[in-house]
Structures are given as structure tokens and as C-alpha cells.
Amino acid sequence: MTRLTRNLSKLSWMLLGTGAMFLASCSKNNDVAAPDLQSLGGRTQADVVVPDGGSVNITNNNGQGKVYRSGSVYRVENFKQVYSTDPGQPANGTFFWRFSDNDAGTPASYNIKFSGVATGDITAGGTDELRFVDKAFSSVVAADWTTATVPVANTIGMNTVVGTGIPPAVSALANGKGWYIYNWSAGHTVTPVSGRTLLFKSGTTVVAFEIISIYQNQVTGGAFPYYHFRYKTL
């Protein structure tokens, strides 16, 4: 049994045992002239400046991982922060990210946060909003925001759970408006919904982002959560 199987199985059965319902609850795009990410939150300069074609290590706010840039597209690899348990939930942690800084955020300052079991729920901060569209990341445009799907409680988490013998309490968490599929019978692994792009809006700025993996070095079934995702302004 892999570390992932043991950990996710433990989380799943802890969820059932307590009856808790968690979930508070790259390629360069040359077709779109994207505005500067630094405009988010009224900032004039990003905390982490990533050179085109280069990368920068994530070290601020107890974060780790690396940010790469190719033109207007930023790619984050192995993003992780200090992992502490949220009160009242199975063992899990909360990570914070600021698109406007290309860097890890804090509980008091973030654009999106990752929380819940396996840190799989994505929630926008403050009055910012999340939506999603079933369209390739490379072809998403700002106008897609108006027709994009609105998630439940401004949180995008489990979309579906597949397998046999799935407990009702786990099935109830899959609302069809999430970013990942929980493979109950295949090692309790998490895989992204194919072709689904997430959208974040702050003021008039829309950021498209796509979750690639939550496993260290993108090895499905390996250590988690280590977030891999890419993003760009539209």
C-alpha cells in the first residue's frame, strides 16, 4: 500500500467516522494580449518577478516550490506551505496563493486558498469570485467569464467520485462542479477533470488557471499535497 493510499484512506474513514462534511463546508499564448498580473489588488509591483523563460524559487510565507514563466503563462511546480490541521476537520492543511505576487500568500492576504481533505478545495478570498469553464486553458478568453459555471459556495473541489463501495458520506461531497475526480477504488487518487479551466476574478481582472497535479513531482499516487498549476491573465 502506497503512502497516498494509506493517507487518503485514513482521511476518508476519519471523515466517515466523525460524520463531518468538509469542504467549508506551458505554453506561451500569443493570441491574447494579457494585462499585467500585478494589477490585482491594486499592486504596482509583484513581490516575485519571474523572468520570461526563467524560474524563481518560492520561499516567502513558509512556501516552497518553484514558479516558471513563458510569456504570459506562469507555471507553479511542487507548491507547498507549512501543513497544519484545520479545526474540526480530518487532518489536512491550508495553502494560500497570490496571483498578483506570483508567490505564496497568508491567511490575511491571498487570492485563492487550498483547503479541505487532501487540501483539495479551492476558495477565493474576500469579495473575489471563482468560476470554471469546460474549455482548454490555451483557448480561454476573458469573455468566457460571463457564461462560466458558478461553483457551490465560491469553492471548487470534488467533482465526482468513482469506484465501487463508495460510502454515501463521500458521494455527497461530489457536487459535479469541482476540479478533481476522486478515484475511490484506484488507490484513493485524485486526478483533474480533463479540459476544465478555472477562472478567478478580482475587480475587472480575470485570471485563468488550471490544476495539473497535487502530487510531488506530478507522480500520481506519490506524496501529496504538492500543487502544480499554471495561470495567466485574460
Side-chain angles (χ1 to χ4, degrees):
M1 181 178 289
T2 67
R3 175 182 173 186
L4 169 66
T5 303
R6 291 195 300 271
N7 288 345
L8 270 178
S9 296
K10 178 181 176 182
L11 292 177
S12 298
W13 288 112
M14 286 177 68
L15 171 64
L16 295 175
T18 60
M21 297 300 289
F22 71 94
L23 299 178
S25 55
C26 206
S27 61
K28 182 175 181 179
N29 182 1
N30 293 314
D31 298 326
V32 179
D36 196 338
L37 276 171
Q38 297 169 10
S39 64
L40 281 180
R43 301 188 65 86
T44 58
Q45 183 174 338
D47 282 355
V48 175
V49 177
V50 185
D52 192 1
S55 64
V56 174
N57 290 326
I58 300 168
T59 58
N60 292 327
N61 300 318
N62 296 310
Q64 59 180 276
K66 185 171 286 190
V67 185
Y68 299 81
R69 178 185 164 205
S70 177
S72 63
V73 177
Y74 292 80
R75 188 180 82 255
V76 178
E77 299 286 348
N78 287 318
F79 171 57
K80 189 177 180 68
Q81 281 180 293
V82 172
Y83 204 63
S84 58
T85 300
D86 289 335
Q89 295 186 1
N92 58 82
T94 302
F95 302 163
F96 303 92
W97 186 260
R98 285 187 60 85
F99 296 117
S100 49
D101 295 349
N102 304 315
D103 199 4
T106 69
S109 179
Y110 65 90
N111 295 142
I112 58 172
K113 69 176 179 179
F114 305 89
S115 61
V117 170
T119 316
D121 291 352
I122 303 173
T123 306
T127 59
D128 298 335
E129 300 177 72
L130 288 178
R131 295 185 183 182
F132 68 84
V133 60
D134 287 328
K135 189 174 182 180
F137 175 82
S138 61
S139 61
V140 169
V141 295
D144 289 324
W145 175 264
T146 58
T147 57
T149 302
V150 177
V152 178
N154 207 29
T155 299
I156 302 178
M158 187 188 300
N159 188 69
T160 54
V161 54
V162 297
T164 58
I166 302 168
V170 175
S171 295
L173 300 174
N175 58 29
K177 293 185 176 182
W179 71 267
Y180 74 89
I181 300 166
Y182 183 14
N183 303 289
W184 177 265
S185 300
H188 295 276
T189 54
V190 168
T191 54
V193 175
S194 179
R196 180 159 293 179
T197 300
L198 312 187
L199 301 175
F200 166 86
K201 186 175 183 181
S202 180
T204 59
T205 301
V206 178
V207 177
F209 66 108
E210 179 183 48
I211 308 301
I212 300 168
S213 174
I214 64 166
Y215 297 99
Q216 189 173 35
N217 300 322
Q218 299 187 45
V219 178
T220 301
F224 77 97
Y226 288 84
Y227 264 91
H228 301 256
F229 57 99
R230 55 180 177 167
Y231 60 93
K232 62 182 178 182
T233 50
L234 299 176

